[in-house]
Amino acid sequence: MRLYSTKNKENKVDLSKAVLKGLPEDNGLYMPDDIPTLPQEFIQNIKEYSFQDIALKVCSTLLKDSIPQNDLKDIVYGAIDFPAPLIQMDAQKYILELFHGPSLAFKDFGARFMARLMSYFNRGNNRELVILVATSGDTGGAVAAGFYKTPGIKVVILYPSGKVSHLQEKQLTTLGHNITALEVDGTFDDCQALVKKAFLDNELTNKIRLTSANSINIARLIPQTFYYFEAYKQLENPSDVVFCVPSGNFGNLTAGLLASKMGLPVHKFIAATNSNNVVPAYLGSGTYSPRPSVRTISNAMDVGNPSNFARMEDLYGFTWNNMKQEIEGYSYTDKETEEGMKEVKAKYDYTIDPHGAVGYMALKEYQKDNPNTQGIILETAHPSKFLPDVERILGYTPNIPARLAELRDRKKEAIWTKNNYEDFKKWLLGSY
Ligand SMILES: *Cc1c(COP(=O)(O)O)cnc(C)c1O
């Protein structure tokens, strides 16, 4: 497998470089230079495959000979060791639960796969790899759990003090071992600025092998294609299948587009957003106008300039008309999102989280005009991750899975850090 930069198709690298570097120097994004189609009989007989076997088949088709089959099998089976069940709501609506991993969000798929791939490509290198991540919530928890005890890799997570939820903070600060949390006296943007500055600091990068675990890394996108196939498999009689994807940076939706290019029969994709509606607005008007994000109750989707939009444009040959034929966009306010959560509880006795509720509203609206479709909403996180809002809106406490509940009593360990680059750099040099 070779990958090019969306800014320059001649700039090609192998998978190892794309994964360890994350971003090409020209600031584009890596894309596979060839997206192979799966054999027809694989789709026809998909019910006979386990989730892990589907994952391996899709992965080895896309990666070609980048990794020997036996090694790839260990990586895929190790990463994809929890299910993605499809729950039927009514004759037309389904929910794909993507929160059965360690951090209770779909980001576990990407983080676990990326950790194993990085470790694989880093083997035999006697210098350890130090991963820097800034997080506003969900990413940090998935990366911490995904890289926990990964040989040869240390992780430093920067998070804004007082601005992530209590349980999210516990997900970052209670693991220890190769995971270190820095509690920054600043905002998420300050954390991100510290990380960016570190990557550009030659004195630092000459001494420490730094890399990022950002969502733009192709290693996070690849495993997200797997569960689209797994969802399709679980439909009794799949026809006119629509995937509705609650979106922020659009990594999840882009993975769906890759799955469809590889031969998964998809009738339509729905891009569902909160008030940060840059992509639905683009699909409606043909004009892309990024702008600063606004805060909502589905805060993992508060993105004003989605990083994977460049990949979506690339897949559609930079042609609005092509993109809007396959993707429909809808956006909802917090008030509508809250109504969606209440309606899902009342109608289906199901507790959906605020991100999934945005997806529910979008699918409902789409199916008004397209009633004979089978719609699958990607439920991106477990409702208990957003406890205060869910309790306020629904008036009860959702079931809290044991792996989250037990964090409450664990001791937080974080290093208090001023929002000051020189201090941060000194700490890095002293620690690694
Ligand atoms: C990250 C996240 C999203 C947004 O996913 P993208 O791939 O960035 O579009 C949606 N919901 C939850 C719960 C998330 O953590």
Side-chain angles (χ1 to χ4, degrees), residues 105-107 138 246-252 300-301 353 355 380-381 386:
F106 80 89
K107 290 185 173 73
D138 269 358
S247 295
N249 266 320
F250 282 80
N252 218 356
M301 314 198 305
D353 95 292
H355 305 79
T380 48
F386 312 97

Side-chain angles (χ1 to χ4, degrees), residues 301-319:
M301 314 198 305
D302 293 350
V303 180
N305 188 9
S307 48
N308 281 291
F309 185 68
R311 286 197 171 110
M312 293 165 68
E313 281 195 295
D314 188 83
L315 281 169
Y316 289 107
F318 296 85
T319 311

